[in-house]
Amino acid sequence: MPQGSPRGTYLEVSESLRVKIRDGEITEALPSQSALVSEYGVSRSTIERALAALKADGVIESVQGAGWFVVGTGDRRPLVERVTDLLRGGEVKVGDRFPTEKELCERFGASRTAMRSAIAQMEGQGLIGKGAERGREVRALPAGRGTQTV
């Protein structure tokens, strides 16, 4: 992204995102702020200003714990609830390997910080824990699905 534009770099970023939304390249959740910083080669504050401009125009909305979404689309539940749904789907059982932080960030388009918080909450609930090797394993399934305890 060129620096020093008379319009302001944040306006160029917001316009680029607006075009991606209009053209269907972004249909629900926007990439994380970290991903946008890398993609556009600008500071976090520039990305924050660009997102604020789009929000002010009613194009996107922020959902606490979930990220930024195109207005009227996407799953608005907190990240921890969306990640916990991995255990509700019936595809995993107690003792199975739980996805890595990196895998979860890519799958949910969330920052590492947000994902670490969700993982910590799930560990606090006793749903996942440290496995025999490096990594985590499923320790219990959420209420309402299969066996609840280890």
Side-chain angles (χ1 to χ4, degrees):
M1 182 66 45
Q3 299 294 319
S5 164
R7 285 190 70 218
T9 305
Y10 82 96
L11 290 174
E12 290 180 12
V13 172
S14 68
E15 186 57 29
S16 173
L17 290 170
R18 187 185 311 273
V19 168
K20 287 181 178 186
I21 291 167
R22 182 192 68 217
D23 292 348
E25 291 178 50
I26 299 174
T27 57
E28 288 186 15
L30 274 69
S32 68
Q33 287 187 18
S34 296
L36 293 172
V37 164
S38 295
E39 179 179 343
Y40 289 100
V42 297
S43 69
R44 183 171 290 275
S45 64
T46 299
I47 294 300
E48 289 170 352
R49 289 183 70 192
L51 295 173
L54 290 170
K55 181 179 179 179
D57 290 345
V59 176
I60 63 172
E61 59 187 342
S62 173
V63 178
Q64 183 69 30
W68 290 90
F69 292 86
V70 175
V71 168
T73 65
D75 188 344
R76 303 300 196 270
R77 295 174 303 141
L79 182 60
V80 69
E81 288 182 27
R82 294 186 292 140
V83 176
T84 301
D85 277 351
L86 293 175
L87 305 179
R88 288 189 179 102
E91 299 169 20
V92 298
K93 62 185 183 304
V94 172
D96 284 354
R97 174 191 163 277
F98 191 72
T100 66
E101 189 177 282
K102 180 180 179 187
E103 291 168 340
L104 292 168
C105 287
E106 290 171 0
R107 181 171 182 165
F108 291 97
S111 70
R112 284 195 180 257
T113 302
M115 192 56 66
R116 285 180 183 143
S117 175
I119 288 169
Q121 289 176 58
M122 292 177 72
E123 287 176 336
Q125 296 169 7
L127 298 174
I128 59 174
K130 297 290 182 194
E133 299 178 19
R134 285 181 49 153
R136 293 177 178 87
E137 68 179 27
V138 177
R139 294 272 174 92
L141 299 177
R145 287 278 191 211
T147 306
Q148 178 64 29
T149 59
V150 182

PDB file of all heavy atoms in Angstrom, residues 77-98:
ATOM      1  N   ARG A  77     -21.751 -15.282  17.423  1.00  0.00           N
ATOM      2  CA  ARG A  77     -21.488 -15.784  18.766  1.00  0.00           C
ATOM      3  C   ARG A  77     -20.027 -15.567  19.148  1.00  0.00           C
ATOM      4  O   ARG A  77     -19.164 -15.492  18.272  1.00  0.00           O
ATOM      5  CB  ARG A  77     -21.820 -17.280  18.835  1.00  0.00           C
ATOM      6  CG  ARG A  77     -23.286 -17.564  18.626  1.00  0.00           C
ATOM      7  CD  ARG A  77     -23.586 -19.035  18.546  1.00  0.00           C
ATOM      8  NE  ARG A  77     -22.811 -19.639  17.474  1.00  0.00           N
ATOM      9  CZ  ARG A  77     -22.242 -20.832  17.547  1.00  0.00           C
ATOM     10  NH1 ARG A  77     -22.357 -21.562  18.628  1.00  0.00           N
ATOM     11  NH2 ARG A  77     -21.567 -21.313  16.538  1.00  0.00           N
ATOM     12  N   PRO A  78     -19.755 -15.500  20.434  1.00  0.00           N
ATOM     13  CA  PRO A  78     -18.357 -15.359  20.870  1.00  0.00           C
ATOM     14  C   PRO A  78     -17.500 -16.499  20.327  1.00  0.00           C
ATOM     15  O   PRO A  78     -17.984 -17.624  20.119  1.00  0.00           O
ATOM     16  CB  PRO A  78     -18.453 -15.422  22.393  1.00  0.00           C
ATOM     17  CG  PRO A  78     -19.845 -14.983  22.704  1.00  0.00           C
ATOM     18  CD  PRO A  78     -20.682 -15.474  21.546  1.00  0.00           C
ATOM     19  N   LEU A  79     -16.228 -16.222  20.127  1.00  0.00           N
ATOM     20  CA  LEU A  79     -15.297 -17.189  19.559  1.00  0.00           C
ATOM     21  C   LEU A  79     -15.279 -18.495  20.344  1.00  0.00           C
ATOM     22  O   LEU A  79     -15.275 -19.578  19.754  1.00  0.00           O
ATOM     23  CB  LEU A  79     -13.892 -16.581  19.486  1.00  0.00           C
ATOM     24  CG  LEU A  79     -12.811 -17.452  18.867  1.00  0.00           C
ATOM     25  CD1 LEU A  79     -13.161 -17.820  17.432  1.00  0.00           C
ATOM     26  CD2 LEU A  79     -11.469 -16.718  18.916  1.00  0.00           C
ATOM     27  N   VAL A  80     -15.289 -18.411  21.663  1.00  0.00           N
ATOM     28  CA  VAL A  80     -15.239 -19.638  22.469  1.00  0.00           C
ATOM     29  C   VAL A  80     -16.428 -20.549  22.174  1.00  0.00           C
ATOM     30  O   VAL A  80     -16.276 -21.774  22.121  1.00  0.00           O
ATOM     31  CB  VAL A  80     -15.113 -19.330  23.983  1.00  0.00           C
ATOM     32  CG1 VAL A  80     -16.388 -18.696  24.524  1.00  0.00           C
ATOM     33  CG2 VAL A  80     -14.787 -20.596  24.770  1.00  0.00           C
ATOM     34  N   GLU A  81     -17.592 -19.992  21.909  1.00  0.00           N
ATOM     35  CA  GLU A  81     -18.766 -20.811  21.579  1.00  0.00           C
ATOM     36  C   GLU A  81     -18.599 -21.472  20.213  1.00  0.00           C
ATOM     37  O   GLU A  81     -18.958 -22.640  20.029  1.00  0.00           O
ATOM     38  CB  GLU A  81     -20.041 -19.970  21.594  1.00  0.00           C
ATOM     39  CG  GLU A  81     -20.479 -19.565  22.978  1.00  0.00           C
ATOM     40  CD  GLU A  81     -21.773 -18.762  22.966  1.00  0.00           C
ATOM     41  OE1 GLU A  81     -22.578 -18.938  22.015  1.00  0.00           O
ATOM     42  OE2 GLU A  81     -21.968 -17.968  23.884  1.00  0.00           O
ATOM     43  N   ARG A  82     -18.039 -20.717  19.269  1.00  0.00           N
ATOM     44  CA  ARG A  82     -17.841 -21.286  17.932  1.00  0.00           C
ATOM     45  C   ARG A  82     -16.800 -22.392  17.958  1.00  0.00           C
ATOM     46  O   ARG A  82     -16.962 -23.412  17.290  1.00  0.00           O
ATOM     47  CB  ARG A  82     -17.469 -20.182  16.945  1.00  0.00           C
ATOM     48  CG  ARG A  82     -18.620 -19.199  16.736  1.00  0.00           C
ATOM     49  CD  ARG A  82     -18.344 -18.173  15.672  1.00  0.00           C
ATOM     50  NE  ARG A  82     -17.295 -17.259  16.098  1.00  0.00           N
ATOM     51  CZ  ARG A  82     -16.342 -16.794  15.302  1.00  0.00           C
ATOM     52  NH1 ARG A  82     -16.274 -17.168  14.044  1.00  0.00           N
ATOM     53  NH2 ARG A  82     -15.449 -15.951  15.764  1.00  0.00           N
ATOM     54  N   VAL A  83     -15.729 -22.210  18.729  1.00  0.00           N
ATOM     55  CA  VAL A  83     -14.703 -23.252  18.831  1.00  0.00           C
ATOM     56  C   VAL A  83     -15.254 -24.469  19.576  1.00  0.00           C
ATOM     57  O   VAL A  83     -14.995 -25.612  19.198  1.00  0.00           O
ATOM     58  CB  VAL A  83     -13.421 -22.707  19.514  1.00  0.00           C
ATOM     59  CG1 VAL A  83     -12.396 -23.810  19.698  1.00  0.00           C
ATOM     60  CG2 VAL A  83     -12.814 -21.565  18.694  1.00  0.00           C
ATOM     61  N   THR A  84     -16.043 -24.239  20.620  1.00  0.00           N
ATOM     62  CA  THR A  84     -16.645 -25.342  21.371  1.00  0.00           C
ATOM     63  C   THR A  84     -17.553 -26.182  20.480  1.00  0.00           C
ATOM     64  O   THR A  84     -17.694 -27.389  20.689  1.00  0.00           O
ATOM     65  CB  THR A  84     -17.421 -24.802  22.598  1.00  0.00           C
ATOM     66  OG1 THR A  84     -16.501 -24.080  23.428  1.00  0.00           O
ATOM     67  CG2 THR A  84     -18.041 -25.913  23.412  1.00  0.00           C
ATOM     68  N   ASP A  85     -18.125 -25.574  19.449  1.00  0.00           N
ATOM     69  CA  ASP A  85     -18.969 -26.320  18.514  1.00  0.00           C
ATOM     70  C   ASP A  85     -18.202 -27.453  17.831  1.00  0.00           C
ATOM     71  O   ASP A  85     -18.810 -28.424  17.377  1.00  0.00           O
ATOM     72  CB  ASP A  85     -19.569 -25.404  17.448  1.00  0.00           C
ATOM     73  CG  ASP A  85     -20.812 -24.687  17.926  1.00  0.00           C
ATOM     74  OD1 ASP A  85     -21.313 -25.017  19.027  1.00  0.00           O
ATOM     75  OD2 ASP A  85     -21.282 -23.796  17.199  1.00  0.00           O
ATOM     76  N   LEU A  86     -16.873 -27.352  17.768  1.00  0.00           N
ATOM     77  CA  LEU A  86     -16.069 -28.440  17.204  1.00  0.00           C
ATOM     78  C   LEU A  86     -16.287 -29.726  18.000  1.00  0.00           C
ATOM     79  O   LEU A  86     -16.245 -30.820  17.456  1.00  0.00           O
ATOM     80  CB  LEU A  86     -14.579 -28.088  17.226  1.00  0.00           C
ATOM     81  CG  LEU A  86     -14.113 -26.946  16.334  1.00  0.00           C
ATOM     82  CD1 LEU A  86     -12.635 -26.667  16.569  1.00  0.00           C
ATOM     83  CD2 LEU A  86     -14.377 -27.261  14.877  1.00  0.00           C
ATOM     84  N   LEU A  87     -16.513 -29.563  19.301  1.00  0.00           N
ATOM     85  CA  LEU A  87     -16.729 -30.722  20.169  1.00  0.00           C
ATOM     86  C   LEU A  87     -18.166 -31.215  20.109  1.00  0.00           C
ATOM     87  O   LEU A  87     -18.449 -32.349  20.470  1.00  0.00           O
ATOM     88  CB  LEU A  87     -16.367 -30.374  21.618  1.00  0.00           C
ATOM     89  CG  LEU A  87     -14.962 -29.838  21.856  1.00  0.00           C
ATOM     90  CD1 LEU A  87     -14.755 -29.520  23.330  1.00  0.00           C
ATOM     91  CD2 LEU A  87     -13.912 -30.797  21.353  1.00  0.00           C
ATOM     92  N   ARG A  88     -19.080 -30.359  19.676  1.00  0.00           N
ATOM     93  CA  ARG A  88     -20.501 -30.722  19.610  1.00  0.00           C
ATOM     94  C   ARG A  88     -20.863 -31.446  18.323  1.00  0.00           C
ATOM     95  O   ARG A  88     -21.914 -32.051  18.237  1.00  0.00           O
ATOM     96  CB  ARG A  88     -21.357 -29.459  19.714  1.00  0.00           C
ATOM     97  CG  ARG A  88     -21.386 -28.853  21.077  1.00  0.00           C
ATOM     98  CD  ARG A  88     -22.431 -27.731  21.147  1.00  0.00           C
ATOM     99  NE  ARG A  88     -22.436 -27.186  22.470  1.00  0.00           N
ATOM    100  CZ  ARG A  88     -21.854 -26.034  22.805  1.00  0.00           C
ATOM    101  NH1 ARG A  88     -21.242 -25.303  21.907  1.00  0.00           N
ATOM    102  NH2 ARG A  88     -21.897 -25.613  24.050  1.00  0.00           N
ATOM    103  N   GLY A  89     -20.011 -31.346  17.334  1.00  0.00           N
ATOM    104  CA  GLY A  89     -20.344 -31.888  16.016  1.00  0.00           C
ATOM    105  C   GLY A  89     -20.380 -33.399  15.928  1.00  0.00           C
ATOM    106  O   GLY A  89     -20.788 -33.942  14.912  1.00  0.00           O
ATOM    107  N   GLY A  90     -19.944 -34.103  16.967  1.00  0.00           N
ATOM    108  CA  GLY A  90     -19.965 -35.556  16.943  1.00  0.00           C
ATOM    109  C   GLY A  90     -18.786 -36.175  16.215  1.00  0.00           C
ATOM    110  O   GLY A  90     -18.685 -37.384  16.096  1.00  0.00           O
ATOM    111  N   GLU A  91     -17.877 -35.344  15.692  1.00  0.00           N
ATOM    112  CA  GLU A  91     -16.725 -35.854  14.957  1.00  0.00           C
ATOM    113  C   GLU A  91     -15.568 -36.221  15.880  1.00  0.00           C
ATOM    114  O   GLU A  91     -14.645 -36.911  15.467  1.00  0.00           O
ATOM    115  CB  GLU A  91     -16.247 -34.809  13.940  1.00  0.00           C
ATOM    116  CG  GLU A  91     -17.299 -34.470  12.907  1.00  0.00           C
ATOM    117  CD  GLU A  91     -16.922 -33.261  12.067  1.00  0.00           C
ATOM    118  OE1 GLU A  91     -15.734 -32.916  12.014  1.00  0.00           O
ATOM    119  OE2 GLU A  91     -17.828 -32.670  11.470  1.00  0.00           O
ATOM    120  N   VAL A  92     -15.579 -35.739  17.118  1.00  0.00           N
ATOM    121  CA  VAL A  92     -14.497 -36.022  18.061  1.00  0.00           C
ATOM    122  C   VAL A  92     -15.042 -36.729  19.288  1.00  0.00           C
ATOM    123  O   VAL A  92     -16.221 -36.631  19.608  1.00  0.00           O
ATOM    124  CB  VAL A  92     -13.761 -34.728  18.497  1.00  0.00           C
ATOM    125  CG1 VAL A  92     -13.099 -34.048  17.319  1.00  0.00           C
ATOM    126  CG2 VAL A  92     -14.694 -33.780  19.213  1.00  0.00           C
ATOM    127  N   LYS A  93     -14.148 -37.439  19.952  1.00  0.00           N
ATOM    128  CA  LYS A  93     -14.520 -38.094  21.201  1.00  0.00           C
ATOM    129  C   LYS A  93     -13.439 -37.787  22.227  1.00  0.00           C
ATOM    130  O   LYS A  93     -12.357 -37.293  21.886  1.00  0.00           O
ATOM    131  CB  LYS A  93     -14.704 -39.594  20.996  1.00  0.00           C
ATOM    132  CG  LYS A  93     -13.477 -40.342  20.538  1.00  0.00           C
ATOM    133  CD  LYS A  93     -13.832 -41.792  20.265  1.00  0.00           C
ATOM    134  CE  LYS A  93     -12.643 -42.626  19.869  1.00  0.00           C
ATOM    135  NZ  LYS A  93     -11.866 -42.196  18.754  1.00  0.00           N
ATOM    136  N   VAL A  94     -13.721 -38.066  23.474  1.00  0.00           N
ATOM    137  CA  VAL A  94     -12.780 -37.830  24.554  1.00  0.00           C
ATOM    138  C   VAL A  94     -11.483 -38.584  24.247  1.00  0.00           C
ATOM    139  O   VAL A  94     -11.506 -39.739  23.833  1.00  0.00           O
ATOM    140  CB  VAL A  94     -13.379 -38.289  25.908  1.00  0.00           C
ATOM    141  CG1 VAL A  94     -12.339 -38.225  27.011  1.00  0.00           C
ATOM    142  CG2 VAL A  94     -14.586 -37.418  26.269  1.00  0.00           C
ATOM    143  N   GLY A  95     -10.370 -37.878  24.407  1.00  0.00           N
ATOM    144  CA  GLY A  95      -9.053 -38.454  24.130  1.00  0.00           C
ATOM    145  C   GLY A  95      -8.497 -38.100  22.764  1.00  0.00           C
ATOM    146  O   GLY A  95      -7.309 -38.263  22.507  1.00  0.00           O
ATOM    147  N   ASP A  96      -9.347 -37.593  21.856  1.00  0.00           N
ATOM    148  CA  ASP A  96      -8.875 -37.180  20.529  1.00  0.00           C
ATOM    149  C   ASP A  96      -8.001 -35.945  20.624  1.00  0.00           C
ATOM    150  O   ASP A  96      -8.131 -35.131  21.540  1.00  0.00           O
ATOM    151  CB  ASP A  96     -10.058 -36.878  19.596  1.00  0.00           C
ATOM    152  CG  ASP A  96     -10.749 -38.125  19.077  1.00  0.00           C
ATOM    153  OD1 ASP A  96     -10.260 -39.233  19.340  1.00  0.00           O
ATOM    154  OD2 ASP A  96     -11.796 -37.971  18.412  1.00  0.00           O
ATOM    155  N   ARG A  97      -7.140 -35.789  19.634  1.00  0.00           N
ATOM    156  CA  ARG A  97      -6.306 -34.598  19.522  1.00  0.00           C
ATOM    157  C   ARG A  97      -7.196 -33.390  19.219  1.00  0.00           C
ATOM    158  O   ARG A  97      -8.118 -33.492  18.407  1.00  0.00           O
ATOM    159  CB  ARG A  97      -5.305 -34.801  18.381  1.00  0.00           C
ATOM    160  CG  ARG A  97      -4.462 -33.600  18.062  1.00  0.00           C
ATOM    161  CD  ARG A  97      -3.701 -33.859  16.727  1.00  0.00           C
ATOM    162  NE  ARG A  97      -3.212 -32.636  16.176  1.00  0.00           N
ATOM    163  CZ  ARG A  97      -3.899 -31.777  15.425  1.00  0.00           C
ATOM    164  NH1 ARG A  97      -5.157 -32.006  15.126  1.00  0.00           N
ATOM    165  NH2 ARG A  97      -3.354 -30.677  14.966  1.00  0.00           N
ATOM    166  N   PHE A  98      -6.910 -32.265  19.880  1.00  0.00           N
ATOM    167  CA  PHE A  98      -7.626 -31.019  19.618  1.00  0.00           C
ATOM    168  C   PHE A  98      -6.776 -30.212  18.642  1.00  0.00           C
ATOM    169  O   PHE A  98      -5.546 -30.224  18.730  1.00  0.00           O
ATOM    170  CB  PHE A  98      -7.847 -30.244  20.925  1.00  0.00           C
ATOM    171  CG  PHE A  98      -8.794 -29.098  20.794  1.00  0.00           C
ATOM    172  CD1 PHE A  98     -10.157 -29.323  20.642  1.00  0.00           C
ATOM    173  CD2 PHE A  98      -8.333 -27.792  20.806  1.00  0.00           C
ATOM    174  CE1 PHE A  98     -11.040 -28.256  20.503  1.00  0.00           C
ATOM    175  CE2 PHE A  98      -9.206 -26.732  20.672  1.00  0.00           C
ATOM    176  CZ  PHE A  98     -10.569 -26.963  20.515  1.00  0.00           C
TER     177      PHE A  98
END
